[in-house]
Amino acid sequence: MTITTHSPEETQELAARLGKALFPGAVLALRGDLGAGKTAFVRGLAQGMGVSGRVHSPTFALVHEHNGPLPLFHFDLYRLEDGLAETGLDEYFDRGGVCALEWPEKAEDELPLERLDVILRSPDEATREITFLPRGKAYEECIKSLL
Ligand code: ADP
Ligand code: MG
């Protein structure tokens, strides 16, 4: 399923709707180039999940934790060295929160098979084509909330 947005606000609203439908242990892999809108998407997720704190790129840390009804673990793996054997990522997957990962390809082998892949493309400055690829039944249910 692909949805096109025309502003950062629209992307955030879309992500907020998804955020309301997410469940403990949900994992989202956000894929797209620099400036594609991955962080903007997480900002919307946070809003929809009702978590506290401002969302910005975890530049120095690999992960930011936000508290809320469900905790949100926001990862940016950009600086992770390719093929690093042990990131400890899987510890977060079992903590009953939502994990949103930017640059998940840096730890592709460690991603759970059941997850939601979100691919963001940027055909022009204000347009984003956002494709949702649910890997598993639970995620198929989730993205129905976006229709
Ligand atoms: P990433 O985390 O993928 O590097 P960011 O979310 O940090 O990307 O940045 C996205 C940039 O694109 C922001 O400057 C934002 O204002 C801009 N933008 C323009 N149109 C959109 C849109 N439709 N959705 C999301 N971001 C958009
Ligand atoms: Mg980012």
Side-chain angles (χ1 to χ4, degrees):
M1 180 177 67
T2 299
I3 294 174
T4 302
T5 68
H6 303 92
S7 68
E9 291 75 23
E10 224 184 297
T11 295
Q12 282 184 48
E13 279 164 29
L14 177 69
R17 268 196 282 150
L18 179 67
K20 291 189 172 76
L22 290 174
F23 50 87
V27 176
L28 276 66
L30 304 168
R31 304 172 187 275
D33 294 337
L34 209 66
K38 300 181 294 298
T39 301
F41 193 93
V42 176
R43 210 163 274 141
L45 276 184
Q47 198 186 327
M49 290 172 60
V51 308
S52 57
R54 212 170 64 86
V55 170
H56 53 94
S57 272
T59 309
F60 297 108
L62 232 44
V63 59
H64 282 167
E65 305 192 14
H66 300 271
N67 294 318
L70 290 182
L72 171 63
F73 305 115
H74 176 202
F75 294 85
D76 189 327
L77 304 182
Y78 187 71
R79 282 177 181 74
L80 198 66
E81 224 170 289
D82 288 309
L84 200 71
E86 196 47 69
T87 57
L89 211 57
D90 54 330
E91 285 171 30
Y92 284 90
F93 298 148
D94 302 326
R95 281 177 60 182
V98 169
C99 291
L101 298 97
E102 300 188 41
W103 302 101
E105 38 282 282
K106 291 278 188 170
E108 198 69 58
D109 294 347
E110 293 175 63
L111 301 180
L113 295 178
E114 299 239 340
R115 61 176 190 257
L116 180 59
D117 283 319
V118 181
I119 296 147
L120 298 102
R121 293 187 198 85
S122 172
D124 64 51
E125 204 168 316
T127 309
R128 298 294 184 273
E129 291 167 357
I130 305 174
T131 301
F132 297 89
L133 297 174
R135 315 289 188 191
K137 272 262 172 333
Y139 297 97
E140 282 171 29
E141 285 303 315
C142 266
I143 63 165
K144 284 183 187 165
S145 66
L146 300 177
L147 293 172

